Amino acid sequence: MNARLFPPTRAEATARLAAFLPHAGKTYAKLRNHDPGPDAPSHVSRLSPYVRHRVLTEAELVRAAVDRHGEGPAEKFIQEVFWRTYWKGWLELRPGVWDAYCEDRDTARIEVAGDSYLAEHLARAEEARTGIDCFDHWVRELVETGYLHNHARMWFASIWIFTLKLPWELGADFFLRHLLDGDPASNTLSWRWVGGLQTRGKTYLARADNIAAHTGERFNPQGKLAQEALPLDGPLPPLPRPIVPGPRLGKDGGRTGLLVFDDDVDVQDLSDRVAPVAVAGVSSAALRSDVSVSGQVQDFVAAVLDDSLSRFSVPGARLRDQVMTPHGVDEAVRDWARDHALDRVVARHVPVGPGRAVADRIARALQPDGVAFLQEMRGYDARAWPLATKGFFPFRKQIRELTAALGASG
Ligand SMILES: Cc1cc2nc3c(=O)[nH]c(=O)nc-3n(C[C@H](O)[C@H](O)[C@H](O)COP(=O)(O)OP(=O)(O)OC[C@H]3O[C@@H](n4cnc5c(N)ncnc54)[C@H](O)[C@@H]3O)c2cc1C
């Protein structure tokens, strides 16, 4: 695990937020697109591995930025945080886009395996042997640190799709295997956006002069990059389906077990309301890809869950039974529920992605014992996600109202 750059604790995340806050105003708006490299002080927060798993919530980031700078000067930072919320809502409204991505990724993997030219080029890309210095550097940086600057991710994805002409799904998968913040929504939809599938027909072309200008001239891939970016072809996304947040849970459901999924490890308020007698963590990190997810990612997620479980208190409960991994999780949760004679198991709403598949398996495993599996959606998600029906521009118009609505439970 990359404990040096991203120690997997809430203590580190809050310290990092506090240190970054003075820069979250006008400086961020001006410099956030510059990537000085992993060894130089950053102009961005590098908080995404924490926000991805809700070690820190979006609400905490927004509130802190507003308190420090006021809404005007913090506008850009707040907007970027809401990009994450927007992507999450967009995918939640259209789960079929994640399923289609997984299917197309598997198909692409089979096609590449049967085509020696493509297979060699994919290997060169993943092993930092393309001869395009900046790209090869980003591959190494990603694999070593588990993180890339947003602009580097955009250049990377554009070069992967339009210069190297590799299937976008395998690039998205490479990210998900190595990013500590690997997220089904932000990642899949950003790759689709670069390729022209998300905002139909609008692609992102990486340009050598733009890379040189924003990397402090560390790189200048003149003459090495594609000069045009023709949009990829793909089916239109399905129409948004309704999001049904469900009721708030209370103490009245009998003996309760609380499952903490890696999508949202911040569960103290839920725990206070449902008074669990047992608590356990579930990591679905190993399922972010159909092939092996990096040990660094899996260790980070397990440690973040561990930190969460050891941090919050449940009077009388046997805390931190274990952090379960997807292999055999159905039986493990069923046995855990039997051991504690549970009447119900509760969790935060598990969003679209590998965690959702695990949650569905758990629900099925508990059913024969008559143990209910209930998920509760956060107020923040229930308010914001249904607004992601169209593009980011109409969503952005609601940010002021969403910010004003941030309550203590955000
Ligand atoms: C091709 C591609 C793939 C990406 N894959 C992921 C991914 O798997 N997981 C992930 O969390 N982000 C992903 N992003 C979005 C973005 O690059 C990262 O969230 C950002 O780099 C995080 O760095 P930071 O915390 O320093 O951001 P800051 O600039 O400090 O922003 C603060 C917070 O706002 C959110 N945020 C900022 N920019 C974006 C953005 N463009 N989209 C969504 N949220 C944003 C993040 O939660 C971030 O922690 C991807 C972007 C691209 C172009």
Side-chain angles (χ1 to χ4, degrees), residues 109-127 129 166-167 170:
R109 185 131 22 238
I110 293 166
E111 278 171 13
V112 170
D115 179 329
S116 55
Y117 177 85
L118 260 184
E120 169 58 18
H121 279 76
L122 177 66
R124 279 193 209 169
E126 294 197 348
E127 292 162 16
R129 293 189 285 113
L166 291 166
L170 296 185

Coordinates of all heavy atoms in Angstrom, one line a residue, residues 109-127 129 166-167 170:
R109 N -11.2 -7.6 -24.0 CA -10.1 -8.4 -23.5 C -9.9 -9.7 -24.3 O -8.8 -10.1 -24.7 CB -10.4 -8.8 -22.0 CG -9.2 -9.5 -21.4 CD -8.7 -9.1 -20.1 NE -9.4 -8.4 -19.1 CZ -9.0 -7.2 -18.7 NH1 -8.0 -6.6 -19.1 NH2 -9.8 -6.6 -17.8
I110 N -11.0 -10.3 -24.7 CA -11.0 -11.5 -25.5 C -10.4 -11.2 -26.9 O -9.6 -11.9 -27.5 CB -12.4 -12.2 -25.6 CG1 -12.8 -12.7 -24.3 CG2 -12.4 -13.3 -26.7 CD1 -14.2 -13.1 -24.2
E111 N -10.9 -10.1 -27.5 CA -10.5 -9.7 -28.8 C -9.0 -9.4 -28.8 O -8.3 -9.8 -29.8 CB -11.3 -8.4 -29.3 CG -12.6 -8.8 -29.9 CD -13.5 -7.6 -30.1 OE1 -13.0 -6.4 -30.1 OE2 -14.7 -7.8 -30.3
V112 N -8.5 -8.7 -27.8 CA -7.1 -8.3 -27.8 C -6.2 -9.6 -27.6 O -5.2 -9.7 -28.3 CB -6.8 -7.3 -26.6 CG1 -5.3 -7.1 -26.4 CG2 -7.4 -6.0 -26.9
A113 N -6.7 -10.5 -26.8 CA -6.0 -11.8 -26.6 C -5.8 -12.5 -27.9 O -4.8 -13.2 -28.1 CB -6.6 -12.6 -25.6
G114 N -6.8 -12.4 -28.8 CA -6.7 -13.1 -30.1 C -6.0 -12.3 -31.2 O -6.1 -12.7 -32.4
D115 N -5.5 -11.1 -30.9 CA -4.9 -10.3 -31.9 C -3.5 -9.9 -31.5 O -3.3 -9.0 -30.6 CB -5.8 -9.1 -32.1 CG -5.3 -8.1 -33.1 OD1 -4.0 -8.0 -33.3 OD2 -6.1 -7.4 -33.8
S116 N -2.4 -10.5 -32.0 CA -1.1 -10.4 -31.5 C -0.6 -8.9 -31.6 O 0.1 -8.4 -30.7 CB -0.1 -11.3 -32.1 OG -0.2 -11.1 -33.5
Y117 N -1.0 -8.2 -32.6 CA -0.6 -6.8 -32.8 C -1.2 -6.0 -31.7 O -0.4 -5.2 -31.0 CB -1.0 -6.3 -34.2 CG -0.7 -4.8 -34.4 CD1 0.5 -4.4 -34.9 CD2 -1.7 -3.8 -34.1 CE1 0.8 -3.1 -35.1 CE2 -1.4 -2.5 -34.3 CZ -0.2 -2.1 -34.8 OH 0.1 -0.8 -35.0
L118 N -2.5 -6.1 -31.5 CA -3.1 -5.3 -30.4 C -2.6 -5.7 -29.0 O -2.3 -4.9 -28.2 CB -4.6 -5.6 -30.4 CG -5.5 -4.6 -31.1 CD1 -7.0 -5.0 -30.9 CD2 -5.3 -3.2 -30.5
A119 N -2.4 -7.0 -28.8 CA -1.9 -7.5 -27.5 C -0.5 -6.9 -27.2 O -0.3 -6.5 -26.1 CB -1.8 -9.1 -27.5
E120 N 0.3 -6.9 -28.2 CA 1.7 -6.3 -28.0 C 1.6 -4.8 -27.7 O 2.2 -4.3 -26.8 CB 2.5 -6.5 -29.3 CG 3.9 -5.7 -29.3 CD 4.8 -6.0 -28.2 OE1 4.6 -7.1 -27.5 OE2 5.7 -5.2 -27.9
H121 N 0.7 -4.1 -28.4 CA 0.5 -2.7 -28.1 C -0.1 -2.4 -26.7 O 0.3 -1.4 -26.0 CB -0.3 -2.0 -29.2 CG 0.6 -1.7 -30.4 ND1 1.0 -2.7 -31.3 CD2 1.2 -0.5 -30.8 CE1 1.8 -2.1 -32.2 NE2 2.0 -0.8 -31.9
L122 N -1.0 -3.3 -26.3 CA -1.6 -3.1 -25.0 C -0.5 -3.4 -23.9 O -0.4 -2.6 -23.0 CB -2.7 -4.1 -24.8 CG -3.4 -4.1 -23.4 CD1 -4.1 -2.8 -23.1 CD2 -4.4 -5.3 -23.2
A123 N 0.3 -4.4 -24.1 CA 1.4 -4.7 -23.2 C 2.3 -3.5 -23.1 O 2.7 -3.1 -22.0 CB 2.1 -6.0 -23.6
R124 N 2.7 -2.9 -24.2 CA 3.6 -1.8 -24.2 C 3.0 -0.6 -23.4 O 3.7 0.0 -22.7 CB 3.9 -1.3 -25.6 CG 4.9 -2.1 -26.3 CD 5.3 -1.4 -27.6 NE 5.8 -2.4 -28.6 CZ 6.0 -2.1 -29.8 NH1 5.8 -0.9 -30.3 NH2 6.4 -3.1 -30.7
A125 N 1.7 -0.4 -23.6 CA 1.1 0.7 -22.9 C 1.1 0.4 -21.4 O 1.5 1.3 -20.6 CB -0.3 0.9 -23.4
E126 N 0.7 -0.8 -21.0 CA 0.6 -1.1 -19.6 C 1.9 -1.2 -18.9 O 2.0 -1.1 -17.7 CB -0.2 -2.3 -19.4 CG -1.7 -2.2 -19.8 CD -2.6 -3.3 -19.3 OE1 -2.1 -4.3 -18.7 OE2 -3.8 -3.1 -19.4
E127 N 3.0 -1.4 -19.7 CA 4.3 -1.6 -19.1 C 5.2 -0.3 -19.3 O 6.4 -0.4 -19.2 CB 5.0 -2.8 -19.7 CG 4.3 -4.1 -19.2 CD 4.7 -5.3 -20.1 OE1 5.7 -5.2 -20.9 OE2 3.9 -6.3 -20.0
R129 N 6.0 1.3 -22.1 CA 7.0 1.1 -23.1 C 6.5 1.7 -24.5 O 6.8 1.1 -25.5 CB 7.4 -0.4 -23.3 CG 8.1 -1.0 -22.1 CD 8.5 -2.5 -22.5 NE 7.4 -3.4 -22.5 CZ 7.0 -4.1 -23.6 NH1 7.5 -3.8 -24.8 NH2 6.0 -4.9 -23.6
L166 N -6.2 2.0 -28.6 CA -6.5 0.8 -27.8 C -8.0 1.0 -27.3 O -8.5 2.1 -27.2 CB -5.6 0.7 -26.6 CG -4.1 0.4 -26.9 CD1 -3.2 0.7 -25.8 CD2 -4.0 -1.1 -27.4
P167 N -8.6 -0.2 -27.0 CA -10.0 -0.1 -26.6 C -10.2 0.7 -25.3 O -9.4 0.5 -24.3 CB -10.4 -1.6 -26.3 CG -9.4 -2.4 -27.0 CD -8.1 -1.6 -27.1
L170 N -10.4 -1.0 -21.8 CA -9.3 -1.6 -21.2 C -8.4 -0.5 -20.5 O -7.7 -0.8 -19.5 CB -8.4 -2.4 -22.2 CG -9.2 -3.7 -22.7 CD1 -8.2 -4.5 -23.6 CD2 -9.7 -4.5 -21.6

